[in-house]
Amino acid sequence: MLFTSVPVSAKEQVYKSEYPKTLYAQIHAKPERYWIGRARKGDKIKISFSKKGIVKANKLVSPLSNGNELYEFYFTPLKPGETTLTLKITSKDGKITNKYIDKFIVYKYDNPISSITITNSKTGKTTISGSKLKKDDVVKLSYNKFCKGHNKITFKAKKGWNISFHLVDKNGDWVRDLPYLNPEDFTLNSKYKTKNYHIEVNASKSTSTKIYSVNSEIYFK
């Protein structure tokens, strides 16, 4: 993300994004890991939108070694539309104010996946139609069918989309990048038990001016 700095006064600095953030409204919306700004414990924080209900700002709190806290701001797409976010952070002593201005364009959900294929060393190949993701961005598969042997999972993307997929823990953090780190060693009956992990699919497509992103998830129940 590119920001241009616009000096306003000795105590206020304005950072305005040069390009809008474009994305799809997810059916099961979760915060996007897209940085907006940063604040510390005790800072005065004000968040506003030109149009409410399009995106939601999320605050991630991280403890620091000195007993302080660091706040970072992300967002969740809620519904299609356009809005401009203004995040104003004033230091707790009132001496410094940083203002971040960013435009968001949210599009209606679009399924990027044509098909999903899982090849299990015990039960063979299973192909899941991408139509399962037409109205829902979460796929639930049988744990019993895939819990024995090794699994290799591949995705066929719709035209224009690029796909990457990862094993993710219950906190939403990446555990491993499945396409590149020994994909034959994806098992459900080892330390990667389904109750603690799932597969996150990240799809994106771009034009000369815009980048679109969609996230999907696969659970084994």
Side-chain angles (χ1 to χ4, degrees):
M1 176 176 62
L2 293 176
F3 279 105
T4 54
S5 176
V6 182
V8 177
S9 67
K11 64 175 291 186
E12 183 175 295
Q13 193 79 11
V14 177
Y15 301 91
K16 188 173 183 180
S17 178
E18 294 186 19
Y19 303 102
K21 174 66 176 176
T22 57
L23 66 154
Y24 284 93
Q26 294 287 146
I27 297 169
H28 294 85
K30 294 184 177 181
E32 292 279 346
R33 289 298 182 100
Y34 172 77
W35 184 77
I36 301 170
R38 181 174 293 162
R40 288 176 178 266
K41 187 176 182 179
D43 290 350
K44 184 178 179 181
I45 301 164
K46 184 178 180 180
I47 298 174
S48 60
F49 295 94
S50 61
K51 185 176 182 180
K52 295 182 179 180
I54 306 299
V55 297
K56 175 184 177 183
N58 302 89
K59 182 171 69 175
L60 177 67
V61 181
S62 302
L64 299 176
S65 58
N66 61 3
N68 207 336
E69 290 178 331
L70 179 68
Y71 305 146
E72 293 186 281
F73 299 88
Y74 300 89
F75 70 91
T76 301
L78 299 178
K79 66 179 182 181
E82 297 185 16
T83 189
T84 298
L85 175 149
T86 300
L87 170 64
K88 189 174 182 180
I89 302 171
T90 303
S91 60
K92 58 184 177 181
D93 59 9
K95 292 183 178 180
I96 300 173
T97 296
N98 290 323
K99 183 188 287 185
Y100 301 88
I101 301 173
D102 206 349
K103 183 178 181 180
F104 293 84
I105 303 175
V106 181
Y107 294 93
K108 184 179 179 181
Y109 169 76
D110 185 16
N111 169 33
I113 298 173
S114 178
S115 65
I116 305 166
T117 300
I118 302 176
T119 303
N120 181 276
S121 60
K122 301 287 186 181
T123 60
K125 183 182 293 187
T126 300
T127 299
I128 300 100
S129 172
S131 61
K132 285 184 173 288
L133 289 160
K134 187 176 181 179
K135 295 183 178 180
D136 197 344
D137 51 12
V138 172
V139 174
K140 296 179 181 178
L141 302 177
S142 169
Y143 173 75
N144 290 334
K145 185 173 183 178
F146 299 101
C147 68
K148 295 180 180 180
H150 300 285
N151 297 284
K152 181 178 181 180
I153 184 166
T154 57
F155 293 85
K156 182 179 179 180
K158 289 186 175 179
K159 185 177 180 180
W161 288 94
N162 295 305
I163 290 178
S164 62
F165 46 104
H166 319 273
L167 197 64
V168 177
D169 67 20
K170 59 184 178 182
N171 297 318
D173 295 322
W174 288 3
V175 175
R176 61 187 301 189
D177 197 344
L178 288 176
Y180 304 111
L181 296 182
N182 193 10
E184 295 289 345
D185 193 27
F186 165 50
T187 59
L188 295 179
N189 58 342
S190 63
K191 63 181 180 179
Y192 302 128
K193 287 187 176 178
T194 184
K195 67 179 181 179
N196 293 321
Y197 300 90
H198 64 275
I199 295 172
E200 181 178 278
V201 186
N202 310 116
S204 64
K205 67 178 179 180
S206 61
T207 65
S208 59
T209 58
K210 299 175 183 178
I211 298 176
Y212 308 90
S213 63
V214 177
N215 293 330
S216 307
E217 296 175 338
I218 299 174
Y219 291 87
F220 296 87
K221 298 293 186 179

